[in-house]
Amino acid sequence: MLKQFALVASLALFPVAASASPLPSYPFVHVSAEASRYTTPNIGAIDFMISASDADPAQARDTVETRIAEVRALLQEQGVPLADLETRDVRREPGMDAAGKDTARELRVSVHLIVRDLSKWRAVVAPLLVKPNLNGFATSFDITERDAFEAALMADALQDARRRAEIIARGARRKLGAVTGVSPGGVKNVGTTMGLVRPDFSYNRSKPSNVGARDFLNVDALKLIQPVDVVYKLE
């Protein structure tokens, strides 16, 4: 019996101690598990920069405003609400000539566009990729029913945790008891999309020069992973 308890305690000691929580006084087992699911996104977004460089600041602003007007016209043509277009972070950057002297001023504006109907994704994004003065593209995808999807993912992770704990309990000749602690990790995306704007997802800004246009036009499946740590009582 003493050896059995030592086995279970050794399996549980490091993960629980690492969390700086006091160890339970009863026999227990700590397991880490995870669940993953693929899903098809139904909402997307594209971020990019509009930049113009000119010795005359007014001319640079005119160029930027012209591009914004062209983007708005494209959205109206495709039936995308203008309310889903956001421009922000207007800033001026000094330009340099070949001799390194300060010359023209570059005006930069960041743009965030949400596309709620992905059947229009290619028709909206493809023209943006070839417009002058547009660069720094990044795409993002998500699902509108995110809460329900994460709830199902959590249930899968907890089921996997119990399966693992039961294997350990049988090996220690114990019966698995009640759950005494659960610590879920953040949902992770390990799909192949260009990036996601949610804080729990990776976000990578890329340029058309090193990423093919078709990569921005594709809508790839998302693979989401939910990790979880669970402590069970042993009887």
Side-chain angles (χ1 to χ4, degrees), residues 162-203:
R162 185 165 192 86
R163 178 187 64 82
R164 292 170 182 261
E166 286 176 343
I167 292 174
I168 297 174
R170 285 197 300 269
R173 298 181 180 180
R174 290 295 189 100
K175 180 180 179 182
L176 193 66
V179 174
T180 60
V182 177
S183 178
V187 178
K188 301 177 182 178
N189 169 49
V190 293
T192 57
T193 56
M194 293 301 299
L196 291 153
V197 294
R198 291 176 62 99
D200 52 339
F201 285 74
S202 62
Y203 182 75

Side-chain angles (χ1 to χ4, degrees), residues 9 12 15-16 19 42 48 81-82 101 104 134 137 157-158 170-171 173 179 181 202 211-212 216-217 233:
V16 176
S19 64
N42 53 20
F48 56 92
L82 294 181
K101 294 183 178 180
L134 272 60
F137 290 91
L158 290 174
R170 285 197 300 269
R173 298 181 180 180
V179 174
S202 62
V211 178
F216 290 105
L217 299 177
K233 188 173 182 179

Side-chain angles (χ1 to χ4, degrees), residues 141-152:
F141 299 101
D142 207 343
I143 50 177
T144 53
E145 61 280 6
R146 182 66 180 273
D147 291 343
F149 190 87
E150 289 187 0

Side-chain angles (χ1 to χ4, degrees), residues 63 65-75 128 131-132 134:
T63 300
E65 290 179 349
T66 297
R67 297 294 174 257
I68 294 176
E70 292 173 355
V71 172
R72 289 178 175 271
L74 171 64
L75 299 185
L128 296 176
K131 280 188 178 295
L134 272 60

Side-chain angles (χ1 to χ4, degrees), residues 99-159:
K101 294 183 178 180
D102 190 2
T103 56
R105 292 278 177 171
E106 185 179 39
L107 182 65
R108 296 181 182 179
V109 177
S110 62
V111 180
H112 178 69
L113 171 62
I114 300 174
V115 180
R116 303 183 189 277
D117 181 358
L118 289 185
S119 67
K120 301 178 180 179
W121 181 258
R122 296 179 71 91
V124 171
V125 174
L128 296 176
L129 297 176
V130 297
K131 280 188 178 295
N133 306 106
L134 272 60
N135 53 72
F137 290 91
T139 56
S140 60
F141 299 101
D142 207 343
I143 50 177
T144 53
E145 61 280 6
R146 182 66 180 273
D147 291 343
F149 190 87
E150 289 187 0
L153 200 59
M154 175 60 73
D156 291 347
L158 290 174
Q159 183 177 0

Side-chain angles (χ1 to χ4, degrees), residues 12-24 30 183 231:
L13 180 59
F14 176 74
V16 176
S19 64
S21 298
L23 296 176
H30 170 272
S183 178
V231 177

